[in-house]
Amino acid sequence: MQSSSVAFSPSLPLLKPRRPHTSFFSSGCNSIRSSSSNSRDLSDLNNVSLPSSWPRRSWTLSTSPFSSSKLRPWTGVPSFASDFDANHFKVQAAAVPESSEEAASAGGSLMKTLELGLLFGLWYLFNIYFNIFNKQVLKVFPFPVTVTAVQFAVGTVLVLLMWGLNLYKRPKISGAQLAAVLPLALVHTLGNLFTNMSLGKVAVSFTHTIKAMEPFFSVILSAMFLGETPTPWVVASIIPIVGGVALASATEASFNWAGFSSAMASNLTNQSRNVLSKKVMAKKEDSMDNITLFSIITIMSFFLLSPVAVFMEGVKVTPAYLQSAGLNVNQVFTRSLLAALCFHAYQQVSYMILQRVSPVTHSVGNCVKRVVVIVSSVIFFQTPVSPINSIGTGIALAGVFLYSRVKRIKAKPKTA
């Protein structure tokens, strides 16, 4: 009896497709050539006699195109259809578009947060420099009406440039709208004038400590003209504000009644402006956005205050007068211009922030801004501050922060 054996060598592939131009996976294992002259069918390979030292096993090439060319045991004829079952392939919607939308949303939210943070930083920075430059000018040039008029003049030029260069939409204002905005411009003018009068008389930190009483005037004026009854929480938050300002005023080294009264008058006029702004903005048919409203009242304030400045203080901004007063003309002009630019910039940024956040968030930011201005002015001007004065200022500012938080608590409606 003649015995035959099947030999496999890794370097000599013995499994060859019957048609070289047909894919191995589409034709399957159609034939195997052995080393003997007798050819056997693929189904009889398991009946081949092998040496006793070999285990009785069958071998095939892996059907996976991704696996290596090593041989592995198999028990049946490989089938492409069976090894690659169609049920194993499922058509699913790719998650890439959703991930892309989420990533785009997260990126947009991050950019909005960074933009808002930048605006808050600019708001604080412009306010700090305004108070520093303004105080330096008022120390050597004690004419607050003229200084305020110059600030409105610079603001007017900036507004006209903004409209002329189409950086912001030029509004179409009717006569009725101008008549409605006129009282608002009047109190806006007085508010900034009284602030400059106070800054010229007392320390910057003390002026802003007194101006922390703005919520007190806001509650009273809103109740009188808007019919808004304050909640018990709001009334309770007013107590530490008034008490803190009184404690700080009693221990203020630079205290004088002119500076104190001017700051209190500034609170009254500024909050009157806010109340009137609500009434103007409430008219939907005549409403305008905050930036446009601020731009219009800036121009109107310039025309309202300029003749008053000339009448009360004369023309004091000429180089001849400054030189006769022994002042550095370039220094006064430069600092006045920087103060005016910072004045308009911080108010413009404030309105931009108000369009992006809620009034409560804006109030909290304004409270933090006042703290930053007080601390920076004390450091820059080396203002002497007693411990009791610091405690009073801290209590007042804490009350302002508390007021900004509880203001959103609505009173429960009365049931019949």
Side-chain angles (χ1 to χ4, degrees):
M1 178 181 293
Q2 183 179 1
S3 63
S4 61
S5 61
V6 179
F8 297 92
S9 173
S11 61
L12 298 175
L14 299 179
L15 300 179
K16 297 181 179 180
R18 194 173 284 179
R19 296 178 183 177
H21 298 291
T22 307
S23 173
F24 173 76
F25 296 108
S26 63
S27 61
C29 299
N30 295 324
S31 64
I32 300 178
R33 295 182 180 274
S34 65
S35 61
S36 66
S37 59
N38 297 329
S39 300
R40 295 180 181 273
D41 189 78
L42 182 62
S43 61
D44 296 334
L45 279 177
N46 288 330
N47 298 325
V48 176
S49 299
L50 300 174
S52 58
S53 61
W54 286 18
R56 179 171 291 275
R57 309 175 79 179
S58 298
W59 303 83
T60 183
L61 289 174
S62 171
T63 59
S64 173
F66 305 101
S67 64
S68 63
S69 60
K70 294 181 180 181
L71 300 177
R72 61 182 177 86
W74 62 288
T75 56
V77 179
S79 173
F80 178 79
S82 61
D83 287 352
F84 294 88
D85 191 357
N87 294 330
H88 294 166
F89 296 90
K90 298 180 179 179
V91 180
Q92 295 181 348
V96 175
E98 296 180 1
S99 301
S100 300
E101 290 179 1
E102 292 176 359
S105 177
S109 177
L110 178 61
M111 289 303 298
K112 288 182 179 179
T113 302
L114 292 176
E115 180 184 354
L116 186 60
L118 177 62
L119 289 176
F120 269 98
L122 291 175
W123 187 23
Y124 295 172
L125 187 65
F126 287 140
N127 207 297
I128 290 172
Y129 278 106
F130 163 70
N131 283 278
I132 290 175
F133 290 132
N134 204 31
K135 181 65 176 179
Q136 289 176 336
V137 171
L138 290 170
K139 273 185 175 181
V140 298
F141 188 77
F143 300 101
V145 184
T146 301
V147 170
T148 308
V150 169
Q151 292 169 359
F152 285 134
V154 174
T156 299
V157 173
L158 292 177
V159 169
L160 295 178
L161 288 175
M162 181 176 66
W163 289 345
L165 298 176
N166 291 325
L167 299 178
Y168 202 80
K169 183 179 179 181
R170 184 187 306 174
K172 296 181 180 180
I173 308 299
S174 64
Q177 286 178 315
L178 289 177
V181 173
L182 181 58
L184 183 59
L186 179 61
V187 293
H188 177 76
T189 304
L190 292 175
N192 287 279
L193 174 60
F194 286 134
T195 299
N196 282 337
M197 291 175 64
S198 178
L199 288 172
K201 296 295 183 180
V202 296
V204 175
S205 57
F206 183 54
T207 297
H208 283 274
T209 299
I210 302 171
K211 286 175 69 65
M213 285 191 64
E214 285 182 349
F216 173 78
F217 291 92
S218 177
V219 170
I220 294 177
L221 294 175
S222 297
M224 291 175 58
F225 296 102
L226 298 179
E228 297 179 358
T229 304
T231 64
W233 296 104
V234 169
V235 175
S237 67
I238 297 297
I239 298 175
I241 296 176
V242 177
V245 170
L247 185 61
S249 300
T251 57
E252 173 61 36
S254 65
F255 178 87
N256 65 70
W257 283 106
F260 177 82
S261 302
S262 299
M264 294 295 283
S266 173
N267 287 334
L268 177 62
T269 52
N270 282 334
Q271 293 311 305
S272 299
R273 178 194 62 190
N274 293 342
V275 171
L276 290 174
S277 297
K278 290 182 180 180
K279 299 188 71 172
V280 171
M281 300 295 287
K283 300 178 181 179
K284 298 299 182 183
E285 67 277 4
D286 296 331
S287 64
M288 60 187 75
D289 61 85
N290 289 326
I291 295 179
T292 300
L293 182 62
F294 171 69
S295 301
I296 293 173
I297 65 177
T298 298
I299 297 174
M300 297 181 72
S301 296
F302 166 68
F303 286 105
L304 287 172
L305 191 61
S306 295
V308 177
V310 174
F311 177 77
M312 292 182 62
E313 298 176 348
V315 181
K316 303 293 186 182
V317 293
T318 60
Y321 176 82
L322 295 177
Q323 288 178 352
S324 64
L327 300 177
N328 188 323
V329 178
N330 292 332
Q331 191 176 70
V332 172
F333 279 171
T334 301
R335 291 179 179 177
S336 298
L337 179 60
L338 290 175
L341 291 173
C342 291
F343 167 77
H344 186 80
Y346 93 75
Q347 299 225 34
Q348 191 87 355
V349 173
S350 175
Y351 281 110
M352 293 171 65
I353 293 174
L354 189 59
Q355 288 184 332
R356 289 167 169 80
V357 301
S358 65
V360 175
T361 303
H362 190 271
S363 298
V364 174
N366 191 48
C367 176
V368 176
K369 180 209 71 177
R370 201 172 300 284
V371 175
V372 172
V373 170
I374 290 175
V375 173
S376 61
S377 65
V378 168
I379 295 174
F380 185 85
F381 293 108
Q382 299 295 314
T383 306
V385 180
S386 65
I388 299 179
N389 183 279
S390 301
I391 294 173
T393 302
I395 293 174
L397 295 176
V400 174
F401 180 79
L402 180 63
Y403 167 82
S404 64
R405 302 300 297 174
V406 303
K407 193 173 184 296
R408 59 181 176 178
I409 300 178
K410 303 295 183 181
K412 294 182 179 180
K414 296 180 180 180
T415 57

